[in-house]
């Protein structure tokens, strides 16, 4: 799925679904964007709609020429947001959801991009996931100093990944959504 320029999609009622289970769909930017301002995707799921990504979000796809990373991903007014595959964006990801936000696999933000999730009931990073906040646009050279920030706002935040799979040098903010306190730790 090629994104060229700034693309917005809105669902008045219902879900926004990208890809299909068992099929190799990819979402990527277009290197030939005429205005050269980058390729961004803004999704608005009104009416309690969910957003599902069965496609990975990457900088290239086999057999596709002139591809690049998206420079931004914004999701508004969603209930649940689930990323089933890898996510790499050369910029910010901003999600406003009222239900559960899940990254089943890793999320990598390049060029100092930040991950901001607000309004959620819960946020979940399973053991199969990772969080990399990098300051350059390369995934092959490790994490460069000066990466973006991580802001997670939800009444429940579950990060089941090991410490070695969380990389970056920006700030981390964990904030409750509706509760007045937050517990940090591992249930034993």
């Amino acid at each position: 799925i090629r994104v060229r320029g700034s693309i917005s999609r809105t669902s008045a009622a219902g879900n926004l679904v990208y890809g299909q289970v068992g099929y190799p769909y990819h979402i990527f930017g277009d290197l030939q964007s005429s205005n050269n301002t980058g390729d961004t995707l803004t999704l608005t799921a009104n009416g309690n709609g969910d957003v599902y990504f069965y496609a990975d979000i990457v900088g290239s796809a086999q057999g596709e020429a002139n591809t690049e990373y998206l420079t931004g991903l914004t999701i508004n007014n969603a209930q649940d947001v689930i990323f089933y595959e890898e996510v790499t964006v050369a910029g910010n990801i901003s999600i406003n959801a009222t239900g559960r936000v899940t990254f089943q696999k890793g999320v990598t933000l390049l060029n100092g991009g930040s991950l901001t999730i607000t309004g959620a009931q819960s946020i979940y990073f399973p053991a199969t996931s990772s969080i990399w906040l990098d300051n350059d646009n390369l995934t092959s050279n490790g994490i460069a100093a000066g990466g973006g920030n991580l802001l997670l706002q939800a009444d429940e935040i579950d990060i089941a990944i090991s410490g070695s799979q969380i990389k970056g040098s920006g700030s981390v903010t964990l904030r409750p959504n509706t509760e007045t306190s937050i517990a940090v730790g591992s249930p034993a």
Side-chain angles (χ1 to χ4, degrees), residues 13 33 39 46 49 59 61 66 81 94 105 108 117 122 130 132 148 150 159 162 174 176 179 185-186 188:
S33 293
D39 303 307
N46 293 318
N66 300 316
V81 177
S94 177
K105 297 189 180 175
T108 301
I117 302 172
S122 65
S130 62
W132 288 37
L150 182 64
I159 302 174
S162 70
L174 306 177
E179 301 293 323
S186 176

Side-chain angles (χ1 to χ4, degrees), residues 52-69:
Y52 300 110
F53 288 94
Y54 294 100
D56 56 11
I57 300 174
V58 293
S60 64
Q62 185 175 355
E64 294 287 339
N66 300 316
T67 63
E68 65 182 353
Y69 296 109

Side-chain angles (χ1 to χ4, degrees), residues 60-145:
S60 64
Q62 185 175 355
E64 294 287 339
N66 300 316
T67 63
E68 65 182 353
Y69 296 109
L70 295 180
T71 56
L73 174 62
T74 302
I75 300 172
N76 298 310
N77 300 333
Q79 184 167 333
D80 294 337
V81 177
I82 302 175
F83 296 89
Y84 290 99
E85 299 297 332
E86 296 280 338
V87 178
T88 302
V89 173
N92 298 324
I93 295 178
S94 177
I95 300 170
N96 179 269
T98 58
R100 184 177 184 97
V101 177
T102 302
F103 287 89
Q104 289 291 340
K105 297 189 180 175
V107 57
T108 301
L109 298 179
L110 304 172
N111 292 338
S114 294
L115 174 60
T116 302
I117 302 172
T118 58
Q121 178 183 2
S122 65
I123 298 170
Y124 182 51
F125 292 91
T128 56
S129 190
S130 62
I131 304 169
W132 288 37
L133 303 172
D134 201 351
N135 195 38
D136 60 24
N137 63 352
L138 301 173
T139 58
S140 60
N141 67 344
I143 299 296

